[in-house]
Amino acid sequence: MSSSQRYDVIVVGLGGMGSAAAYHLATRGQRVLGLERFTPAHDRGSSHGGSRIIRQSYFEDPAYVPLLLRAYELWEQLARDSGRDVYRITGGLFVGPPTCATVSGSRHAAQLWGLPHEVLTAEEVRERFPAFAPAPGQVAVYEPMAGFARPEETVSAHIELADRAGADLRFGETVTGWTDSDDGVEVTTTSGVFAADRLVVCPGAWAPEMLADLGVPIEIERQVMYWFETEPAPDVGGVPMDDIPIYIHETDAVEQIYGFPAIDGPGGGVKVAFFRKGQTCSPDTIDRVVGQDETAQMLDRVRQLLPGVRGPALDAATCMYSTTRDHNFVIAEHPAQRNVVVACGFSGHGFKFVPVVGEILADLVIDGSTRHPIDIFDPRRASVTTVDAR
């Protein structure tokens, strides 16, 4: 290796997953170099937008629940160690027809793992949470431990703590390639070449170009987040909109939306979004302009559940999902590169796992294995065809 300075591990990408990996590695005594093409806690990828839902009754697959239980412990540790408001518990309502995936899957996961929850009729939802107006016949699973994480605060907290633990973190540094050999890895950037024993790649929406040899197709999807004014502000049905639960609402048409309380007070509005209603794009081609027709469609849809969200739109922003065909993550040692560990394809439901993914990546680098159940995230898994994994 030709580099004058050698590290134990290089982490490429310091968004949600990469910043967590750098933190866990540095606090476990590794000499860490972190490389990020943008600024800290930037808004060009998938770790921005003010809020992300966290929940435990996981309708996507109950196999994720043990990871969530550990993630919650690490969210609390991160908040305590950083002094930042990285997460908040609000409770959560998962609403829709009784047999839809959002409701039945949440109920199944909660029952399987003994998680606190209640099943409410539409009438009970309206009585207990007057801001919500589910249609007759719809039901809700209420999870008291659901809430939201703040992505920018989370990334900043991990970066600060990694720096405090001695990590060398460099921003505005674009990686152009790497080589893997018996001696370790060499990573080439726009400013130089760096050497290390191991490499962790957390590329986000840049996965298709940076990990083209991984063997897992990953599609990048444009998604839009909206913030709407409520009326009458700040109260709807006598309930302050900054005091409602987070929610996911599924219709008979198998269309999901999700949303949050007014987490920054009534003036900041309530954030809502469709889940998986975007267009294929790339980081270079994504349209970051949000059209009026898109905004109107979102407003009409959210008012089916929250009639007090009347608009106008206060803001809108785009982000990107990096979606695998089976909607499961990729977290593993690279099947063809012995010194490379990868974390990608988080498919629009990964941010709640950020702290535990950082821990898993540190395990894989230092120990070559982890106690956490990650077999479903192996890039060599048999399922590479599209399945309904909502």
Side-chain angles (χ1 to χ4, degrees), residues 148-235:
F148 64 86
R150 290 183 175 269
E152 292 91 344
E153 287 292 304
T154 298
V155 173
S156 296
H158 278 135
I159 286 171
E160 288 176 4
L161 292 173
D163 178 72
R164 193 183 304 171
D168 180 2
L169 306 178
R170 305 189 184 193
F171 298 90
E173 189 98 30
T174 299
V175 171
T176 58
W178 64 81
T179 57
D180 175 44
S181 70
D182 292 340
D183 296 328
V185 294
E186 275 193 347
V187 177
T188 303
T189 76
T190 47
S191 66
V193 179
F194 304 92
D197 297 334
R198 304 295 300 276
L199 172 65
V200 176
V201 184
C202 302
W206 286 262
E209 63 184 72
M210 296 188 73
L211 294 170
D213 61 344
L214 190 59
V216 179
I218 296 176
E219 184 175 90
I220 309 305
E221 301 175 19
R222 173 186 181 266
Q223 304 294 327
V224 183
M225 303 168 283
Y226 305 83
W227 288 260
F228 290 107
E229 190 174 290
T230 62
E231 188 180 62
D235 295 332

Side-chain angles (χ1 to χ4, degrees), residues 260-272:
F260 303 81
I263 65 176
D264 295 313
V270 290
K271 177 186 168 184
V272 299

Side-chain angles (χ1 to χ4, degrees), residues 4-357:
S4 60
Q5 183 177 9
R6 187 183 180 95
Y7 298 86
D8 293 324
V9 57
I10 296 173
V11 179
V12 174
L14 295 174
M17 305 305 175
S19 64
Y23 158 71
H24 280 279
L25 286 161
T27 57
R28 287 162 68 172
Q30 297 289 294
R31 294 169 295 168
V32 177
L33 171 64
L35 301 172
E36 168 59 54
R37 70 176 66 202
F38 298 114
T39 56
H42 62 84
D43 64 355
R44 301 287 89 186
S46 307
S47 298
H48 62 282
S51 56
R52 292 290 188 278
I53 285 176
I54 59 173
R55 51 192 166 90
Q56 296 180 347
S57 55
Y58 218 55
F59 60 79
E60 289 88 342
D61 188 334
Y64 283 77
V65 173
L67 296 178
L68 288 163
L69 297 177
R70 177 55 178 161
Y72 267 62
E73 295 175 348
L74 293 171
W75 281 116
E76 176 58 27
Q77 178 182 318
L78 181 63
R80 182 176 62 250
D81 291 349
S82 68
R84 286 178 174 266
D85 181 23
V86 294
Y87 84 109
R88 193 179 305 169
I89 300 301
T90 63
L93 282 171
F94 311 126
V95 186
T99 58
C100 75
T102 302
V103 172
S104 64
S106 297
R107 188 175 187 178
H108 173 62
Q111 291 174 335
L112 185 64
W113 290 99
L115 304 174
H117 71 288
E118 300 174 65
V119 180
L120 306 175
T121 66
E123 293 76 13
E124 289 170 331
V125 170
R126 289 193 291 268
E127 290 174 4
R128 188 162 166 184
F129 304 102
F132 293 85
Q138 293 188 344
V139 298
V141 173
Y142 176 71
E143 181 195 317
M145 289 303 294
F148 64 86
R150 290 183 175 269
E152 292 91 344
E153 287 292 304
T154 298
V155 173
S156 296
H158 278 135
I159 286 171
E160 288 176 4
L161 292 173
D163 178 72
R164 193 183 304 171
D168 180 2
L169 306 178
R170 305 189 184 193
F171 298 90
E173 189 98 30
T174 299
V175 171
T176 58
W178 64 81
T179 57
D180 175 44
S181 70
D182 292 340
D183 296 328
V185 294
E186 275 193 347
V187 177
T188 303
T189 76
T190 47
S191 66
V193 179
F194 304 92
D197 297 334
R198 304 295 300 276
L199 172 65
V200 176
V201 184
C202 302
W206 286 262
E209 63 184 72
M210 296 188 73
L211 294 170
D213 61 344
L214 190 59
V216 179
I218 296 176
E219 184 175 90
I220 309 305
E221 301 175 19
R222 173 186 181 266
Q223 304 294 327
V224 183
M225 303 168 283
Y226 305 83
W227 288 260
F228 290 107
E229 190 174 290
T230 62
E231 188 180 62
D235 295 332
V236 177
V239 178
M241 290 293 278
D242 58 357
D243 196 34
I244 65 172
I246 61 92
Y247 58 91
I248 300 173
H249 184 217
E250 183 171 339
T251 65
D252 290 321
V254 197
E255 177 188 78
Q256 290 171 311
I257 64 167
Y258 63 93
F260 303 81
I263 65 176
D264 295 313
V270 290
K271 177 186 168 184
V272 299
F274 286 105
F275 184 63
R276 300 201 186 286
K277 195 172 183 176
Q279 299 82 40
T280 301
C281 68
S282 74
D284 294 327
T285 64
I286 181 173
D287 182 1
R288 296 192 182 273
V289 177
V290 179
Q292 293 182 356
D293 55 339
E294 295 179 281
T295 304
Q297 185 182 39
M298 182 77 257
L299 181 58
D300 287 345
R301 175 63 179 83
V302 72
R303 290 192 64 206
Q304 295 176 24
L305 183 66
L306 285 158
V309 179
R310 301 188 182 276
L314 301 174
D315 198 6
T318 59
C319 71
M320 290 177 282
Y321 287 177
S322 305
T323 302
T324 63
R325 288 181 177 174
D326 64 5
H327 296 178
N328 288 318
F329 310 155
V330 177
I331 307 172
E333 293 183 330
H334 194 295
Q337 300 183 42
R338 72 189 72 185
N339 296 309
V340 180
V341 175
V342 299
C344 60
F346 288 95
S347 302
H349 63 115
F351 198 88
K352 58 186 70 63
F353 297 90
V354 157
V356 72
V357 170

